[in-house]
Amino acid sequence: MARTQGAQTANAIAEVAASLFNEHGYEATSLRQIASEVGIQVGSLYNHIDGKNELLHNIMVGILDDLLDAIRNATAAGTDPVSRLVLALDCHIRFHALRSRDVFIGNSELRSLPPENRADVINRRDAYEEILRDLVSDVVHATGADPLDVRLQTYAILAIGTHVSSWYRPDGDMSLDDVVAGYTRVILRQLGIEEFGMRVGITTA
Amino acid sequence: MARTQGAQTANAIAEVAASLFNEHGYEATSLRQIASEVGIQVGSLYNHIDGKNELLHNIMVGILDDLLDAIRNATAAGTDPVSRLVLALDCHIRFHALRSRDVFIGNSELRSLPPENRADVINRRDAYEEILRDLVSDVVHATGADPLDVRLQTYAILAIGTHVSSWYRPDGDMSLDDVVAGYTRVILRQLGIEEFGMRVGITTA
DNA sequence: GAGACTCACTAGCGTACGTTCGTATGTAAC
DNA sequence: GTTACATACGAACGTACGCTAGTGAGTCTC
């Protein structure tokens, strides 16, 4: 056993760690549990990681990098502010629903990261928030809508994403398409641009 | 030292525990830390509690009982569905902002409760969600507004509350009154009853 | 085939944890 | 003043933790 198993084992460790962190929390998960579910001994973990904390750090930075990539790619296809926002909301909600495990870890385990590693996460989180705020801001300027309060509106969108990741289940009684369409309507209306949404294919049926 | 210190010490333990759970998380907080901040020895804690988990359970049940009491009292003064909802939103947002420490514990440490104690918390949480949903539902029926989706609307309100508890700071650059007024306008608009809100004193200035 | 490298094993290190116990001390009740 | 109780202390329990170190088996390179 050598040379070829490395990548697979490393992958399995990361997956198992994420599942256990999600289920019991970082502090309540032991390396012995992780090793046991992977099917190796505790000591062997250290052939693949530097320590327990690296597992958490990788998950948190990874999920935020993926989220930033996703929203940038999603909005690139938009031809005007409203369609860019609609594309962003689609991405935002789907991402949080489908990757709820890692999103939840990212949102709940910041305090388990040693302070020197927190900036990596906080900077990415701030960057995402800024992207959303700019999208909202652009829509407001382009449409002349009254946004009430851009900051609170942006927070509301962020909150919906986080919340979706905590209740949405693929086998629940609401399809992901319905969740996306429903929340998109709600958000466009709360921004005061319900009628602009219709022009890009969002209906209030 | 006897007979009279009991209640004060018990109180101090609960307060210190909540602060440390909020800061580091339940699992990462040791009874030795708690005892040390209270100014007693570890063993002495057991004159006041049955075990570490009781501390968490009391916080979680307590905050939800307070929240349920608050929303019931707040809405009692409402004379019609819209004003009841507005009163509820005021209470909802203020409560989450002002009691963010315990709210955060309640929202993030459910998995640290042993399964047999979770029902206490989940039942209260469900009860709160039902109260909000009924308020939304009543408003819709009374005003004839198109709610888009009552469930998603209710979730959005819940999400805003949870999110507020994570960012609002009394010394931040937005007053609590502004947060409440701002979010109330956003929520009334997303429900499609912006104009009804004005009748009960919410302005979109 | 020899050497280098990968990756797993086993055993054990020092430390911290939640909890229990016996004891001491101060206060209240009678 | 005696009795009973509330409350604190200090020491110790068994267990689990993250992590390290030494070793051996398999595999790739040349």
Short mmCIF file of all heavy atoms in Angstrom, two decimals, chain D residues 2-15:
data_model
loop_
_atom_site.label_atom_id
_atom_site.label_comp_id
_atom_site.label_asym_id
_atom_site.label_seq_id
_atom_site.Cartn_x
_atom_site.Cartn_y
_atom_site.Cartn_z
P DT D 2 -23.13 23.30 73.42
OP1 DT D 2 -22.93 22.48 74.64
OP2 DT D 2 -21.95 23.84 72.72
"O5'" DT D 2 -24.05 22.47 72.45
"C5'" DT D 2 -25.40 22.19 72.86
"C4'" DT D 2 -26.28 21.98 71.65
"O4'" DT D 2 -26.57 23.24 71.01
"C3'" DT D 2 -25.68 21.07 70.56
"O3'" DT D 2 -26.59 20.02 70.35
"C2'" DT D 2 -25.52 21.99 69.36
"C1'" DT D 2 -26.62 23.02 69.62
N1 DT D 2 -26.47 24.36 68.97
C2 DT D 2 -27.51 24.86 68.23
O2 DT D 2 -28.55 24.28 68.06
N3 DT D 2 -27.27 26.12 67.70
C4 DT D 2 -26.11 26.88 67.82
O4 DT D 2 -26.03 27.98 67.33
C5 DT D 2 -25.07 26.28 68.60
C7 DT D 2 -23.78 27.00 68.79
C6 DT D 2 -25.27 25.05 69.13
P DT D 3 -26.16 18.72 69.57
OP1 DT D 3 -26.63 17.54 70.31
OP2 DT D 3 -24.74 18.87 69.21
"O5'" DT D 3 -27.05 18.86 68.26
"C5'" DT D 3 -28.42 19.24 68.39
"C4'" DT D 3 -28.95 19.69 67.04
"O4'" DT D 3 -28.54 21.05 66.77
"C3'" DT D 3 -28.47 18.85 65.85
"O3'" DT D 3 -29.61 18.40 65.14
"C2'" DT D 3 -27.59 19.81 65.05
"C1'" DT D 3 -28.21 21.17 65.41
N1 DT D 3 -27.30 22.35 65.26
C2 DT D 3 -27.78 23.47 64.63
O2 DT D 3 -28.89 23.55 64.17
N3 DT D 3 -26.88 24.51 64.56
C4 DT D 3 -25.59 24.53 65.05
O4 DT D 3 -24.89 25.52 64.94
C5 DT D 3 -25.15 23.33 65.69
C7 DT D 3 -23.78 23.24 66.26
C6 DT D 3 -26.02 22.29 65.77
P DA D 4 -29.50 17.46 63.91
OP1 DA D 4 -30.66 16.55 63.90
OP2 DA D 4 -28.12 16.94 63.86
"O5'" DA D 4 -29.69 18.49 62.70
"C5'" DA D 4 -30.85 19.32 62.66
"C4'" DA D 4 -30.80 20.20 61.41
"O4'" DA D 4 -29.82 21.25 61.61
"C3'" DA D 4 -30.35 19.44 60.14
"O3'" DA D 4 -31.22 19.81 59.09
"C2'" DA D 4 -28.92 19.89 59.93
"C1'" DA D 4 -28.93 21.30 60.51
N9 DA D 4 -27.64 21.75 61.01
C8 DA D 4 -26.72 21.03 61.72
N7 DA D 4 -25.64 21.71 62.04
C5 DA D 4 -25.88 22.97 61.51
C6 DA D 4 -25.11 24.15 61.50
N6 DA D 4 -23.92 24.26 62.09
N1 DA D 4 -25.64 25.23 60.89
C2 DA D 4 -26.85 25.12 60.32
N3 DA D 4 -27.65 24.06 60.25
C4 DA D 4 -27.10 23.01 60.88
P DC D 5 -31.14 19.08 57.70
OP1 DC D 5 -32.52 18.75 57.28
OP2 DC D 5 -30.10 18.02 57.75
"O5'" DC D 5 -30.62 20.26 56.77
"C5'" DC D 5 -31.18 21.58 56.94
"C4'" DC D 5 -30.26 22.60 56.31
"O4'" DC D 5 -29.08 22.78 57.13
"C3'" DC D 5 -29.75 22.22 54.92
"O3'" DC D 5 -30.11 23.25 54.04
"C2'" DC D 5 -28.23 22.11 55.09
"C1'" DC D 5 -28.00 23.05 56.27
N1 DC D 5 -26.74 22.81 57.02
C2 DC D 5 -25.87 23.88 57.26
O2 DC D 5 -26.18 25.01 56.85
N3 DC D 5 -24.71 23.67 57.94
C4 DC D 5 -24.43 22.45 58.38
N4 DC D 5 -23.29 22.28 59.06
C5 DC D 5 -25.30 21.33 58.15
C6 DC D 5 -26.44 21.56 57.47
P DA D 6 -30.12 23.00 52.47
OP1 DA D 6 -31.49 23.22 51.95
OP2 DA D 6 -29.41 21.75 52.18
"O5'" DA D 6 -29.21 24.21 51.99
"C5'" DA D 6 -29.35 25.47 52.64
"C4'" DA D 6 -28.11 26.33 52.36
"O4'" DA D 6 -27.03 25.92 53.22
"C3'" DA D 6 -27.59 26.24 50.92
"O3'" DA D 6 -27.26 27.56 50.52
"C2'" DA D 6 -26.36 25.35 51.04
"C1'" DA D 6 -25.87 25.65 52.46
N9 DA D 6 -25.20 24.53 53.12
C8 DA D 6 -25.62 23.22 53.16
N7 DA D 6 -24.82 22.44 53.87
C5 DA D 6 -23.82 23.29 54.31
C6 DA D 6 -22.68 23.08 55.09
N6 DA D 6 -22.34 21.89 55.60
N1 DA D 6 -21.89 24.14 55.35
C2 DA D 6 -22.23 25.34 54.84
N3 DA D 6 -23.29 25.66 54.09
C4 DA D 6 -24.04 24.58 53.85
P DT D 7 -26.97 27.87 49.00
OP1 DT D 7 -27.32 29.28 48.78
OP2 DT D 7 -27.54 26.78 48.20
"O5'" DT D 7 -25.39 27.74 48.94
"C5'" DT D 7 -24.60 28.64 49.72
"C4'" DT D 7 -23.19 28.12 49.80
"O4'" DT D 7 -23.14 26.88 50.54
"C3'" DT D 7 -22.53 27.81 48.46
"O3'" DT D 7 -21.58 28.83 48.22
"C2'" DT D 7 -21.85 26.45 48.69
"C1'" DT D 7 -21.92 26.29 50.19
N1 DT D 7 -21.87 24.91 50.72
C2 DT D 7 -20.86 24.59 51.59
O2 DT D 7 -20.00 25.39 51.94
N3 DT D 7 -20.88 23.28 52.06
C4 DT D 7 -21.80 22.30 51.74
O4 DT D 7 -21.70 21.19 52.22
C5 DT D 7 -22.84 22.71 50.83
C7 DT D 7 -23.89 21.72 50.42
C6 DT D 7 -22.82 23.98 50.36
P DA D 8 -20.88 29.02 46.82
OP1 DA D 8 -20.91 30.46 46.54
OP2 DA D 8 -21.49 28.05 45.89
"O5'" DA D 8 -19.37 28.57 47.06
"C5'" DA D 8 -18.53 29.36 47.90
"C4'" DA D 8 -17.46 28.51 48.53
"O4'" DA D 8 -18.07 27.40 49.23
"C3'" DA D 8 -16.49 27.85 47.57
"O3'" DA D 8 -15.31 28.64 47.44
"C2'" DA D 8 -16.13 26.51 48.23
"C1'" DA D 8 -17.11 26.38 49.36
N9 DA D 8 -17.81 25.09 49.33
C8 DA D 8 -18.95 24.77 48.66
N7 DA D 8 -19.35 23.53 48.82
C5 DA D 8 -18.39 22.98 49.65
C6 DA D 8 -18.23 21.69 50.20
N6 DA D 8 -19.09 20.70 49.97
N1 DA D 8 -17.15 21.47 50.99
C2 DA D 8 -16.30 22.49 51.21
N3 DA D 8 -16.35 23.75 50.76
C4 DA D 8 -17.42 23.92 49.98
P DC D 9 -14.18 28.18 46.42
OP1 DC D 9 -13.30 29.34 46.25
OP2 DC D 9 -14.82 27.53 45.25
"O5'" DC D 9 -13.41 27.06 47.25
"C5'" DC D 9 -12.90 27.36 48.55
"C4'" DC D 9 -12.19 26.14 49.10
"O4'" DC D 9 -13.17 25.11 49.36
"C3'" DC D 9 -11.18 25.56 48.14
"O3'" DC D 9 -9.87 25.77 48.65
"C2'" DC D 9 -11.51 24.07 48.04
"C1'" DC D 9 -12.61 23.86 49.07
N1 DC D 9 -13.71 23.02 48.54
C2 DC D 9 -13.87 21.70 49.00
O2 DC D 9 -13.07 21.25 49.82
N3 DC D 9 -14.90 20.94 48.51
C4 DC D 9 -15.75 21.46 47.64
N4 DC D 9 -16.75 20.69 47.21
C5 DC D 9 -15.61 22.80 47.16
C6 DC D 9 -14.59 23.53 47.63
P DG D 10 -8.65 25.69 47.61
OP1 DG D 10 -7.58 26.53 48.16
OP2 DG D 10 -9.18 25.93 46.25
"O5'" DG D 10 -8.21 24.17 47.70
"C5'" DG D 10 -8.08 23.57 48.99
"C4'" DG D 10 -7.80 22.09 48.83
"O4'" DG D 10 -9.04 21.39 48.56
"C3'" DG D 10 -6.85 21.75 47.69
"O3'" DG D 10 -5.91 20.79 48.17
"C2'" DG D 10 -7.77 21.18 46.60
"C1'" DG D 10 -8.91 20.59 47.40
N9 DG D 10 -10.20 20.62 46.71
C8 DG D 10 -10.70 21.64 45.93
N7 DG D 10 -11.89 21.39 45.46
C5 DG D 10 -12.20 20.12 45.95
C6 DG D 10 -13.35 19.32 45.76
O6 DG D 10 -14.37 19.58 45.11
N1 DG D 10 -13.25 18.10 46.43
C2 DG D 10 -12.16 17.71 47.18
N2 DG D 10 -12.26 16.51 47.74
N3 DG D 10 -11.09 18.44 47.36
C4 DG D 10 -11.16 19.63 46.72
P DA D 11 -4.76 20.23 47.22
OP1 DA D 11 -3.54 20.17 48.05
OP2 DA D 11 -4.78 20.98 45.94
"O5'" DA D 11 -5.26 18.74 46.93
"C5'" DA D 11 -5.88 18.01 48.00
"C4'" DA D 11 -6.40 16.68 47.47
"O4'" DA D 11 -7.72 16.87 46.90
"C3'" DA D 11 -5.54 16.07 46.37
"O3'" DA D 11 -5.35 14.69 46.65
"C2'" DA D 11 -6.35 16.30 45.10
"C1'" DA D 11 -7.78 16.25 45.64
N9 DA D 11 -8.74 16.98 44.82
C8 DA D 11 -8.58 18.22 44.27
N7 DA D 11 -9.63 18.64 43.58
C5 DA D 11 -10.53 17.59 43.69
C6 DA D 11 -11.83 17.41 43.20
N6 DA D 11 -12.47 18.32 42.45
N1 DA D 11 -12.47 16.25 43.50
C2 DA D 11 -11.82 15.34 44.25
N3 DA D 11 -10.60 15.41 44.78
C4 DA D 11 -10.00 16.57 44.46
P DA D 12 -4.32 13.78 45.81
OP1 DA D 12 -3.65 12.89 46.75
OP2 DA D 12 -3.55 14.65 44.89
"O5'" DA D 12 -5.33 12.92 44.94
"C5'" DA D 12 -6.38 12.24 45.61
"C4'" DA D 12 -7.41 11.86 44.60
"O4'" DA D 12 -8.02 13.06 44.07
"C3'" DA D 12 -6.84 11.14 43.37
"O3'" DA D 12 -7.12 9.76 43.49
"C2'" DA D 12 -7.58 11.78 42.18
"C1'" DA D 12 -8.57 12.71 42.83
N9 DA D 12 -8.82 13.94 42.09
C8 DA D 12 -7.93 14.96 41.85
N7 DA D 12 -8.44 15.95 41.15
C5 DA D 12 -9.74 15.55 40.92
C6 DA D 12 -10.81 16.15 40.23
N6 DA D 12 -10.72 17.34 39.63
N1 DA D 12 -11.98 15.47 40.18
C2 DA D 12 -12.06 14.29 40.78
N3 DA D 12 -11.14 13.62 41.45
C4 DA D 12 -9.99 14.32 41.49
P DC D 13 -6.65 8.69 42.47
OP1 DC D 13 -6.43 7.45 43.21
OP2 DC D 13 -5.58 9.27 41.64
"O5'" DC D 13 -7.94 8.50 41.55
"C5'" DC D 13 -9.15 7.99 42.12
"C4'" DC D 13 -10.20 7.95 41.02
"O4'" DC D 13 -10.72 9.28 40.86
"C3'" DC D 13 -9.63 7.62 39.66
"O3'" DC D 13 -9.36 6.22 39.48
"C2'" DC D 13 -10.68 8.21 38.74
"C1'" DC D 13 -11.12 9.47 39.50
N1 DC D 13 -10.48 10.73 38.99
C2 DC D 13 -11.27 11.60 38.22
O2 DC D 13 -12.45 11.27 37.98
N3 DC D 13 -10.74 12.75 37.75
C4 DC D 13 -9.46 13.05 38.02
N4 DC D 13 -8.99 14.20 37.55
C5 DC D 13 -8.63 12.19 38.79
C6 DC D 13 -9.19 11.04 39.24
P DG D 14 -9.86 5.02 39.02
OP1 DG D 14 -10.92 4.43 39.84
OP2 DG D 14 -8.65 4.25 38.78
"O5'" DG D 14 -10.48 5.42 37.61
"C5'" DG D 14 -11.89 5.18 37.39
"C4'" DG D 14 -12.29 5.81 36.09
"O4'" DG D 14 -11.89 7.21 36.08
"C3'" DG D 14 -11.64 5.17 34.86
"O3'" DG D 14 -12.66 4.89 33.92
"C2'" DG D 14 -10.62 6.21 34.39
"C1'" DG D 14 -11.28 7.51 34.84
N9 DG D 14 -10.34 8.62 35.04
C8 DG D 14 -9.12 8.58 35.70
N7 DG D 14 -8.51 9.73 35.72
C5 DG D 14 -9.36 10.59 35.03
C6 DG D 14 -9.21 11.96 34.70
O6 DG D 14 -8.27 12.72 35.00
N1 DG D 14 -10.29 12.44 33.99
C2 DG D 14 -11.38 11.69 33.62
N2 DG D 14 -12.32 12.33 32.94
N3 DG D 14 -11.53 10.41 33.91
C4 DG D 14 -10.48 9.93 34.60
P DT D 15 -12.30 4.14 32.56
OP1 DT D 15 -13.40 3.21 32.26
OP2 DT D 15 -10.88 3.69 32.62
"O5'" DT D 15 -12.39 5.35 31.54
"C5'" DT D 15 -13.46 6.29 31.69
"C4'" DT D 15 -13.24 7.43 30.74
"O4'" DT D 15 -12.24 8.34 31.29
"C3'" DT D 15 -12.71 7.00 29.37
"O3'" DT D 15 -13.58 7.53 28.40
"C2'" DT D 15 -11.32 7.61 29.30
"C1'" DT D 15 -11.44 8.80 30.23
N1 DT D 15 -10.15 9.28 30.81
C2 DT D 15 -9.80 10.60 30.67
O2 DT D 15 -10.51 11.40 30.08
N3 DT D 15 -8.61 10.94 31.22
C4 DT D 15 -7.74 10.12 31.90
O4 DT D 15 -6.69 10.54 32.36
C5 DT D 15 -8.16 8.74 32.02
C7 DT D 15 -7.30 7.76 32.73
C6 DT D 15 -9.34 8.39 31.47
#
